[in-house]
Amino acid sequence: MKKEKTQPIKEKRSVTDFEHRMTVTLEPKHYINYAMTHSRDQIKKARKRAIFWAIFFFVLGAIALFKGASMEGSMADIYLVAGILMIVYQLFNLFYHFVMFPVALKRSVSKELKKDPSLLSPMEYAFEPDKIVCFLDGKHRNSVLMEDVLGVEDLEDTLIIQIKGGKRMIFPKNTLEQADPVIQEQIKSLQK
């Protein structure tokens, strides 16, 4: 017969069982600021490509317009239309990358927040020397071991803790300033 191993049952802890804790309520601006900051490199690359293609197709469009203007017949019309389309399309492409992309990104973040309203709900974070535990509506949401923290990113009004596996924790700076000194010291130690 096999011996059954009995595992000790760990008692679940609630947020009130932790000595050092703070409540964090994120607003849409925190998520939008995060998304814009982390998309900055992608936006720069896309803008450079858009400028390159705009110059390339503007030159091709100008050549097509010149060739169409110097010809007669149905081929002249095709060259003129192609030249106009190349130039107009690239103007719209530039407009999208320089004006509309940031607006679209903000709308996308807002749409995602509407799908998951729990992201805007108050979350309780409990701090221990070896981990940070997150509770949402009194229920355990996740735990992060301090050894899994890769670093801390300091934005305008937000502090972002980067965790292995691509996860991140977002804390508003004004909430951290009002936090327990032990929590402030623990966050400072992560920044080094």
Side-chain angles (χ1 to χ4, degrees):
M1 267 181 102
K2 287 185 176 179
K3 289 185 181 179
E4 290 186 23
K5 293 183 181 180
T6 57
Q7 295 181 355
I9 300 172
K10 290 185 178 181
E11 189 177 312
K12 292 185 178 183
R13 297 170 70 185
S14 69
V15 71
T16 56
D17 295 335
F18 293 90
E19 185 178 347
H20 306 289
R21 59 184 184 265
M22 73 175 174
T23 304
V24 174
T25 305
L26 294 172
E27 298 173 11
K29 70 177 182 176
H30 295 115
Y31 290 105
I32 290 170
N33 186 20
Y34 168 78
M36 291 298 288
T37 300
H38 285 270
S39 298
R40 195 171 290 142
D41 290 338
Q42 180 185 0
I43 291 171
K44 281 182 184 178
K45 287 179 185 176
R47 285 179 177 174
K48 284 180 182 178
R49 272 186 269 138
I51 290 170
F52 170 76
W53 288 113
I55 292 169
F56 179 73
F57 279 106
F58 181 78
V59 170
L60 280 180
I63 291 169
L65 287 174
F66 178 73
K67 188 158 181 143
S70 64
M71 296 175 70
E72 289 188 17
S74 62
M75 281 305 281
D77 293 339
I78 292 172
Y79 276 108
L80 289 172
V81 169
I84 291 170
L85 287 177
M86 283 187 239
I87 292 170
V88 169
Y89 175 75
Q90 288 309 315
L91 288 175
F92 282 120
N93 192 25
L94 287 173
F95 178 74
Y96 172 76
H97 284 287
F98 282 88
V99 178
M100 292 305 299
F101 185 77
V103 172
L105 184 62
K106 289 175 185 176
R107 285 186 181 165
S108 174
V109 170
S110 297
K111 190 184 275 187
E112 288 300 316
L113 290 173
K114 286 179 184 174
K115 286 181 185 176
D116 189 2
S118 69
L119 295 172
L120 298 174
S121 299
M123 289 182 243
E124 292 278 338
Y125 286 93
F127 290 79
E128 288 197 328
D130 62 335
K131 65 183 171 183
I132 301 174
V133 184
C134 178
F135 293 90
L136 180 64
D137 296 327
K139 297 177 185 171
H140 179 266
R141 185 168 183 174
N142 65 354
S143 296
V144 174
L145 298 175
M146 290 301 175
E147 62 191 40
D148 292 339
V149 174
L150 298 175
V152 177
E153 190 175 350
D154 194 356
L155 302 179
E156 287 178 32
D157 61 346
T158 311
L159 211 63
I160 299 170
I161 297 177
Q162 300 169 350
I163 306 160
K164 285 182 184 174
K167 294 183 181 180
R168 289 170 168 73
M169 298 171 92
I170 303 173
F171 294 109
K173 284 186 180 176
N174 60 358
T175 304
L176 287 172
E177 291 168 358
Q178 299 169 1
D180 184 336
V182 173
I183 295 172
Q184 290 178 359
E185 202 54 44
Q186 191 167 359
I187 297 292
K188 283 180 186 173
S189 70
L190 293 173
Q191 287 178 309
K192 295 176 183 175

